[in-house]
Amino acid sequence: MWAHGGLLYVAAEAGFEVWDPAEGARIGFAPGFRPTAHRDGAFAELRNDQLRIWTTPR
């Protein structure tokens, strides 16, 4: 779980969730993506010798 830019990012079993804590609502979902690292709005997952990166909108 990470916080960035006022939002909460969660690596869940089904995938990567983005939550707006002020609204208490999930506002984004990336199925199957489970990052293990975060830096400056970029989330990274290393799986099967492949690096996948998801970046937050600016």
Side-chain angles (χ1 to χ4, degrees):
M1 182 182 310
W2 301 271
H4 178 77
L7 299 175
L8 182 63
Y9 298 85
V10 180
E13 185 175 335
F16 191 53
E17 301 177 350
V18 183
W19 288 81
D20 180 344
E23 297 294 322
R26 186 173 83 173
I27 58 171
F29 181 64
F33 181 62
R34 289 183 287 285
T36 57
H38 167 258
R39 182 173 182 202
D40 299 329
F43 297 85
E45 171 193 53
L46 182 62
R47 181 172 31 153
N48 300 329
D49 295 329
Q50 290 186 317
L51 178 63
R52 296 172 53 188
I53 297 175
W54 184 86
T55 58
T56 59
R58 295 195 186 259

